Structure formats: C-alpha cells, structure tokens
Amino acid sequence: MSDRVDADTLPRHPTLPSPAYSRYAIGLLMVVYMLSFLDRQVLSILAEPIKRDLGLADWQVGAFSGLAFALFYTLVGIPVARLSERGHRPYIIAAAISVWSLFTILCGFARSFSHLALARVGVGTGEAGCTPPALSLIADYVARERRSSAVAIYMAGAPAGALLGMVIGGLVASHWGWRTAFFVAGAPGILVAILVALTLFEPRLTAPARPAPAAGESKETFTSTLKVLLAKRTYRFIVAAVTMKAFLQYSVHAFLGSFFFRNHAAELASMASGFGLKPVGFLGIMLGLVLGLSGVVGSVLGGRFADHFARRDIRAHMTIPAIAVLIGTPFYVAAFRVDSLALAFALLLVPGTLNAMYYGPAYAIVQGLVQPSMRATATAVLLFVISLVGLGFGPLAVGVLSDVLAARGLGEAGGIRWALTLSVLVAIPAALCFLAARKSLKADLVS
C-alpha cells in the first residue's frame, strides 16, 4: 500500500484515537521536539570553546548559531508542510529526525567556520520537517478543548531539549571536548526516528473520505492557503508576536554562555571548583536547569491556563502570553546587569518560566484559524517568518552589535552585556501584538 494519501481523502473531523494512545503519541512527539532542540541548542554552551578553538569573531558565532541553521530551515519548511498536508506525517517526521541527527554528528568534524556553517545548514534542513507535521498530527489526535494543553506539552520539548543540550554539552565538552559533545547529541535521534516510524499512525489512512470538490471548486494550493492566512488579522499579529519572541529567545540562548564566561569568569570558576567541575560543565548544568526546567514549567502552565480560562473567553489564548511577556522582561534586564552570578541565575528563572507560556496558546490557535487540510502549511509559514527573522538574524544581529560595542571601548564583556540587554526589549512590542491578535480572535477561528 502506498503511504501517500490523496488530498481529496483528507478528513475534516478525524476520529480521535484512545486517550492512552494520544498521551503516548504526544509524549513521543515531545521527545522528538526535545531532540531537535538538543541538537539545535547544544551549540550555545559550546560557542565560547568553539570561538577560541577556531579563532572566530562574535558575528561568526551568531551566523552559525542562527543564520546558517535558518537558511535551509526556512526554504525547506514550506515544501515539507505541503507534503505533510497529503503525505504520511509520521514517516516524514522520522526522515527529518534522521537527517538532522546525522548533520549534528558532522558538526563535530568541523575544522573551520565554513565547515561548521555547512553542517548547521544540514541540521536546519532536517529540522524543517519536524513541527509542521507534528502539530498537524496533534490537532488530529486530541479534541479542540484540549488542544492548547497538548500543544504545550509538545512545545515543552524546546526548553527540555535546551536543558539537555546545555547539560550534556557542558559536561561532555569539559571532559572530552566540544567535538565529542556533537557526537553524543546527535546519536539518539536515529533510534527515536525508528520508533516514530513504527509506532505513530497516520489518522488519514483510517478516517472517512472527504467529499470531492464540487464542480468549479478548486483544490487547496499553497497560494490559496496563503491568501486565507494573510486575510486573517489574528494570524498576522500572532506571526509578528512570535517572531519577536523568537528573536529574543534565540539571541539570548546563542550568547548566554559567552555572557557568563566573559562577565562572571572568576565567580564561575570558583563555584565550579566547589562542585569538582570545570567552568563549562558547571555552567552547562546551571543554564540547563535554570532555562530548561523553567521553560518546561512555563510551557505546560501556559497551555493549562489557556484551556482553563478559554472556557469563559477564548481570547485568553492571547491575553496570557501578553501579560507573561511584559512581566518577564524587567527580570531579563536585571539578570544582565547584576554583578552576582548566583543572583543572575535566580533572576533568569522568572523570564525563563513566563516567556515560555506563549507556546501552547499561540501555536494551538494557529491550528484553529484554518481548516485541517491547511494546518501544516499555516505552521510552516509561521515558522518560515520566525526562523528567518528571529533565528536567522537574531543571533547575528546581537553578535554584530556585540562586536561593534566591544570595538568602541566596552570590551568583549561589556559588548555582549549591552547587546543582550537591548535585544530583550523587543518583548514589549511582542506583547502588544498578542493583545492586538486578541481583538479579532473570535471572528477568525474556524476549526
């Protein structure tokens, strides 16, 4: 039997699997997303050792942290999403895992900036096949009233993966070097790819067929889907808000390790020695715990709060992220300005939790703004914009700004401190965009 499913047979209301299987499937997809962020974010804790070893500037660190990854991630994402609208989504996800895992391993063989950048392009190419089909599957696995919570569990894989990336990267690099850290990060993906291919089912294969288009009615194309998306005010403001959030988060994660190495080196070395660890290993554990655990908690809470308060007002899906982002921003600024390493870690717990609360509500609402046959494309277009602007240019912009400020007398420590401080202020217009999306949300929901 062919694994390809014709677009005409796509269900509008697929039969939901058992609750036990839904929990398993969402948990496995969360592990998939966790591995994608492990492979993506392990670079954060390794950035400073790589910079010193290969003799790079901050702009080059920003380029291979963001732009090199985002380049093909954005280009491949939409074609993969179109395939996901009619193809076997679990097989697509399994193939994607295999690609990004192999290229993560290849990062460990890099001998120059260009080698590492090309390997990161490969990682981005693979990861483009993850979230659009995954979120589309989740929307078919659970009822609408639980969609934000289910999506939030999946999205919790991002901070969980960042946690593992920081911890594994830091500990492995401190004992065996940064190259080995890439080998360890990439290897588990091959096994998970096999598990996805063998145990996740494609609901379209068992769902009742959808009636063929009426005479004169055209099939959905990428162009027609894009017109539907752009016509929705809610979608436009969600894209703007999430793009600015991505700019903030990817910039911070790309340079947070470098920030602490440059601004808290003595205290970092002292704390690390107290635990019998090297600075890179200790920092990896601490950042993993601070950002990873707070991010998981924030993501799950955001989804639960959204589903709970949406019973009275569906617009809570946008209100919760807006409030959380505004409250978290001053704590980010304070964390970059204080002189105490311990206090900086403590302050980061607050925005680490609050800034993850948008995951479930925002991505779940995107699934509800369009018909089921458009969901993967809606996610891919969103990811195209946030990856190109947020991931592609966020770390690069902060790296360039850091180099400029360092050259103007602030030094490497002051340059990265001010570059990160200024970058987190983009959270303010992001919150305003969430509030703007709130106004049209009720009118724009369709599924």
Side-chain angles (χ1 to χ4, degrees), residues 1 18 22 36 73 96 120 171 211 222 282 289 299 324 341 388 419 436:
M1 178 185 294
S18 69
S22 294
S36 78
Y73 186 94
R120 293 290 291 173
L171 289 176
F222 173 70
F282 175 76
L289 293 174
S299 181
L341 177 62
L388 185 64

Side-chain angles (χ1 to χ4, degrees), residues 74-129:
T74 55
L75 293 176
V76 176
I78 291 176
V80 170
R82 296 305 296 167
L83 177 63
S84 300
E85 303 290 22
R86 62 184 67 229
H88 196 295
R89 289 168 289 183
Y91 287 178
I92 292 171
I93 294 170
I97 300 169
S98 301
V99 171
W100 87 58
S101 299
L102 289 172
F103 275 99
T104 298
I105 293 171
L106 287 177
C107 287
F109 293 99
R111 297 293 173 182
S112 67
F113 166 72
S114 58
H115 292 167
L116 187 56
L118 287 173
R120 293 290 291 173
V121 166
V123 176
T125 301
E127 292 195 16

Side-chain angles (χ1 to χ4, degrees), residues 88-321:
H88 196 295
R89 289 168 289 183
Y91 287 178
I92 292 171
I93 294 170
I97 300 169
S98 301
V99 171
W100 87 58
S101 299
L102 289 172
F103 275 99
T104 298
I105 293 171
L106 287 177
C107 287
F109 293 99
R111 297 293 173 182
S112 67
F113 166 72
S114 58
H115 292 167
L116 187 56
L118 287 173
R120 293 290 291 173
V121 166
V123 176
T125 301
E127 292 195 16
C130 179
T131 294
L135 291 184
S136 177
L137 270 179
I138 290 172
D140 284 353
Y141 284 157
V142 300
R144 172 177 161 175
E145 59 268 19
R146 295 196 302 113
R147 194 177 290 164
S148 284
S149 295
V151 171
I153 292 172
Y154 169 78
M155 300 302 291
L163 184 159
L164 288 177
M166 293 285 191
V167 173
I168 293 174
L171 289 176
V172 174
S174 67
H175 288 87
W176 298 286
W178 62 267
R179 298 182 186 279
T180 305
F182 282 116
F183 304 153
V184 174
I190 307 301
L191 297 177
V192 174
I194 296 172
L195 194 61
V196 167
L198 295 179
T199 65
L200 291 188
F201 82 95
E202 174 53 76
R204 294 170 184 159
L205 296 176
T206 57
R210 185 172 87 181
E217 181 183 349
S218 60
K219 294 182 179 181
E220 290 158 357
T221 65
F222 173 70
T223 302
S224 65
T225 301
L226 189 60
K227 287 181 180 179
V228 171
L229 294 173
L230 293 179
K232 292 183 177 287
R233 182 178 184 274
T234 305
Y235 184 81
R236 298 196 302 269
F237 276 108
I238 287 177
V239 170
V242 177
T243 298
M244 285 183 274
K245 288 289 289 119
F247 184 100
L248 183 161
Q249 288 175 293
Y250 285 122
S251 299
V252 170
H253 287 179
F255 286 99
L256 199 54
S258 297
F259 165 78
F260 282 111
F261 280 127
R262 298 178 196 179
N263 287 275
H264 299 277
E267 193 175 359
L268 181 61
S270 176
M271 280 191 177
S273 64
F275 289 90
L277 296 170
K278 294 181 180 180
V280 65
F282 175 76
L283 184 59
I285 293 173
M286 290 304 300
L287 290 183
L289 293 174
V290 169
L291 299 181
L293 292 181
S294 64
V296 170
V297 171
S299 181
V300 173
L301 286 179
R304 294 286 179 88
F305 287 163
D307 281 340
H308 175 75
F309 290 107
R311 295 169 190 165
R312 288 180 289 179
D313 187 350
I314 193 70
R315 295 175 297 179
H317 284 85
M318 297 293 99
T319 309
I320 290 169

